[in-house]
Amino acid sequence: MSTNLIKEGMKKVVGRWRKKEYSILEGHPIAQQHGEQVVKSVGNLKRGDDKCKEFRIYRWSPHNPNQKPYFQSFFLHLPSCGPMVLDALQKIKGEVDSSLSYRRSCREGICGSCAMNINGVNTVACLKSIDTDTSRPMTITPLPHLFVIKDLVVDLSDFYQQYKSIEPWLKTRNPPPDGKEYRQTPEERKMLDGLYECILCACCSASCPSYWWNPEEFLGPAALINTYRWISDSRDDFADERLQAITEDERRLYRCRAIGNCTACCPKSLRPSEAISKMKTKHLTGIPVETLSNNMKTSH
């Protein structure tokens, strides 16, 4: 029953994709890439196929602390499996090995729970399609440079503590004029695009060498893009204080070396490195980077 539902659902997805009905993905190249991969993968599979795919999964359990981490291979019949890596993990846990541990929740690329490293790239498993080429395995490991709790589950305590430290909530000095809500113009609201969509999956921070080397000093791309999200919010009255808070100890911001791994791997197509650069500009000049850009356009 569930397999038939999946197949019927994918037929609808393929039909809509071919008709280019997914305008919501415009401006989100990674999402478009994932969608195209899904359509291609499903198109390569036929009901009568006997394709089996190898999944090499990192395993380690605190219940056997003396046993070193190792890779365990699982072989799945692809036509009976959903199209995403998370579907494969669900099938393995439900039908093969119930001891496999990983995080998951929404299955829609919104919660960020299923973040892991798949074939060497940090991403979320629910948005990553299965490579149907059975000549090579898919290798799945935990997010790098984080303490492993069990299998694919990592300790995000420090990550969330850093996020909490930026005070990620609206801070105002006065109540709203109408006593009900703080309003924005469409232009002011548009300033938040590319910032508010962060799902705190930690893919960016776990891919950042500067964060690997200085996790106790550098806030990391995820916390910093969220800092800029509130600095850019016209309703917030503490933009200067927020910027001062992350620059009193310059290592919290300036440990960023603009390597760009964060932007390259973000499953939501966000640009943390660009947000960090804009905060550096604002801190060094005292002028928002948008104002500088407008002045440059005017001068030309």
Side-chain angles (χ1 to χ4, degrees), residues 13-295:
V13 169
V14 172
R16 289 179 181 176
W17 186 270
R18 286 173 178 168
K19 295 177 183 177
K20 297 183 179 180
E21 294 180 3
Y22 288 107
S23 59
I24 193 172
L25 296 183
E26 292 180 4
H28 296 277
I30 294 181
Q32 290 177 338
Q33 178 185 355
H34 286 167
E36 291 169 359
Q37 288 173 349
V38 170
V39 172
K40 182 178 178 180
S41 297
V42 173
N44 290 338
L45 295 177
K46 299 179 181 178
R47 184 170 298 182
D49 282 350
D50 193 29
K51 284 190 173 183
C52 282
K53 178 75 174 181
E54 179 185 1
F55 293 84
R56 296 179 67 247
I57 301 178
Y58 177 100
R59 303 299 304 271
W60 181 80
S61 172
H63 304 301
N64 298 305
N66 294 326
Q67 183 178 16
K68 294 182 179 180
Y70 63 96
F71 281 98
Q72 182 175 2
S73 290
F74 298 91
F75 294 85
L76 296 183
H77 181 239
L78 289 184
S80 63
C81 180
M84 300 300 187
V85 172
L86 183 59
D87 294 316
L89 293 174
Q90 292 282 81
K91 190 174 181 66
I92 292 171
K93 187 173 180 68
E95 301 177 11
V96 183
D97 186 349
S98 61
S99 69
L100 178 64
S101 296
Y102 54 91
R103 291 190 177 105
R104 56 93 181 171
S105 182
C106 74
R107 299 170 63 99
E108 299 290 340
I110 296 173
C111 72
S113 300
C114 60
M116 55 191 70
N117 186 283
I118 302 173
N119 285 347
V121 179
N122 294 350
T123 187
V124 287
C126 63
L127 294 183
K128 178 65 175 177
S129 63
I130 297 172
D131 179 6
T132 55
D133 182 354
T134 56
S135 66
R136 56 192 180 199
M138 291 201 79
T139 302
I140 307 174
T141 62
L143 289 177
H145 294 269
L146 295 172
F147 290 107
V148 176
I149 297 176
K150 186 176 187 289
D151 295 339
L152 303 176
V153 180
V154 295
D155 186 357
L156 293 173
S157 300
D158 290 341
F159 175 80
Y160 287 126
Q161 186 60 41
Q162 288 169 327
Y163 176 66
K164 180 182 177 181
S165 73
I166 69 167
E167 299 184 349
W169 53 80
L170 187 67
K171 298 170 66 177
T172 61
R173 303 182 193 277
N174 302 301
D178 61 0
K180 295 181 180 180
E181 61 183 344
Y182 296 95
R183 301 182 184 277
Q184 285 183 306
T185 65
E187 292 74 20
E188 290 170 337
R189 166 60 185 80
K190 192 173 180 59
M191 295 290 293
L192 304 181
D193 288 347
L195 301 172
Y196 79 91
E197 300 97 328
C198 175
I199 57 176
L200 295 176
C201 61
C203 286
C204 60
S205 293
S207 71
C208 174
S210 297
Y211 191 74
W212 300 344
W213 302 325
N214 308 282
E216 71 288 345
E217 299 174 348
F218 180 47
L219 286 178
L224 289 173
I225 191 173
N226 278 280
T227 301
Y228 189 63
R229 175 255 179 275
W230 291 106
I231 288 176
S232 302
D233 197 321
S234 62
R235 300 165 297 177
D236 194 276
D237 295 329
F238 287 80
D240 292 338
E241 289 81 356
R242 291 181 186 277
L243 187 59
Q244 181 181 357
I246 64 170
T247 54
E248 285 181 339
D249 183 346
E250 292 188 352
R251 292 172 296 185
R252 304 185 79 194
L253 175 64
Y254 285 93
R255 279 290 187 181
C256 172
R257 296 294 186 262
I259 298 169
N261 285 3
C262 53
T263 297
C265 78
C266 176
K268 304 297 285 187
S269 301
L270 307 184
R271 299 176 175 274
S273 59
E274 183 178 302
I276 293 171
S277 176
K278 288 181 176 179
M279 284 191 291
K280 290 179 179 178
T281 300
K282 181 174 173 59
H283 176 238
L284 294 173
T285 65
I287 304 173
V289 69
E290 290 78 12
T291 303
L292 288 174
S293 299
N294 292 335
N295 290 341

